[in-house]
Amino acid sequence: MADPTLAELGWQEFFSRQVSTDEDRSCVPVRVMSVHRGMVSVLGAELDASVSSVLPGSGGPEDRPTVGDWLLIERESLKPVRVLERSSLFKRPAPGDDQRIQLIAANVDTLFVVTSCNEEFNVARLERYLVLAHEVGVRPVVILTKADLAEDPDHFVQAAKALQSELAVELINGRDRQSVARLADYCRLGETVALVGSSGVGKSTLINSLTGSDSIHTQAVRESDGKGLHTTTVRQMHRLGAGSEGPGWLVDTPGMRELQMSEVASGVAEVFDDIVAVTLDCRFTNCTHAQEPGCAVRVAIGRGELALSRYERWRKLAAEDNVNTAIASVRRARPAKGGTRK
Ligand SMILES: Nc1nc2c(ncn2[C@@H]2O[C@H](COP(=O)(O)OP(=O)(O)O)[C@@H](O)[C@H]2O)c(=O)[nH]1
Ligand SMILES: [Mg+2]
Ligand SMILES: [Zn+2]
């Protein structure tokens, strides 16, 4: 495959205006393709290399490079200088009591929320992913796989479309290249699509069909820089559309088993904007929609204009977000144990 140009890699004015004249002379921008222990695989306009992921200075938890990042590196030494400000960032709290944040992917344009036309399909889980997409500021597309195995695939399409007005929903057989071909429209020149969804829904299959490759595993480590890298790394940018015009990028994400909602209030408000609109008609601005007189939410539920199940899912997500957001702000206020922050 020919070396990509910066535009094909996703370079935009948003990034170029962050680079000073001095930096422009001494550095080159490269995009992070995958992250390994202490190293990142990067691609630039004329550069395919593995460079250190350790940046000068201490930096905050979000300053280390992740998949999809634009990294400035020194032209001669290839030493990393800094990560450019991101147009979007997916992250999650590291599992357990760890205070660290796990960075998932940066500079993503579109989120493919992948689910299948079977018992895996779950509206509450889909809503969580939609909240995440809106919070991060990327366009969500629900991808329904295994259409070929379902008796009534349209039932799943309708259920997904009901989640949000104007939500893009695509029904596919992920193993069939013709069936997935139209999804390439969501991933135009230099654009990046991240895939999320439970294990087994067909994310890897879809990436293989879209990129026309047989196995993601053969792509996990490039020959040019495979030396000393851990082959178990899964998160990686895959180039779409070999030879075709307008190739974009696909990035798989680790299964987010416990997708905790934290600091996503605006995402919740966007996904449930219909309910938020109803609450504006409640008599009291701090209405809890339980006992208060003049509660527009209870009226809407009583009239059948608002589904009780959807209202309850909204309450649950909003409550979870409130608790986790409060915990996160307490943690931030407290100095890290041992005094040093990584
Ligand atoms: N029949 C059918 N099988 C599929 C489809 N998508 C994925 N699969 C199969 O489902 C299994 C899990 O797919 P995989 O891509 O590994 O899921 P991942 O864990 O999300 O990456 C594999 O056996 C795939 O062949 C589909 O649309 N139709
Ligand atoms: Mg997979
Ligand atoms: Zn109310």
Side-chain angles (χ1 to χ4, degrees), residues 127 130-131 161-166 266-282 289 296-298 300-301 304-315:
E127 279 165 346
L130 295 180
V131 165
K161 284 196 165 158
L163 290 174
Q164 241 191 318
S165 62
E166 287 169 50
S266 70
V268 171
E270 281 185 70
V271 172
F272 294 92
D273 61 353
D274 53 332
I275 301 184
V276 172
V278 174
T279 65
L280 298 179
D281 290 335
C282 291
H289 323 302
V297 169
R298 288 211 318 283
I301 292 172
E305 289 162 3
L306 171 61
L308 180 62
S309 54
R310 180 168 160 80
Y311 166 74
E312 284 173 344
R313 294 196 305 270
W314 170 65
R315 284 302 291 247

Side-chain angles (χ1 to χ4, degrees), residues 8 35 54 86 117 133 142 163 182 187 193 196 209 240 273 296 301-302 322:
E8 284 169 346
V35 179
V54 182
R86 295 136 175 159
C117 296
V142 174
L163 290 174
R182 68 175 180 277
C187 191
V193 173
V196 293
S209 294
L240 177 75
D273 61 353
I301 292 172
N322 279 340

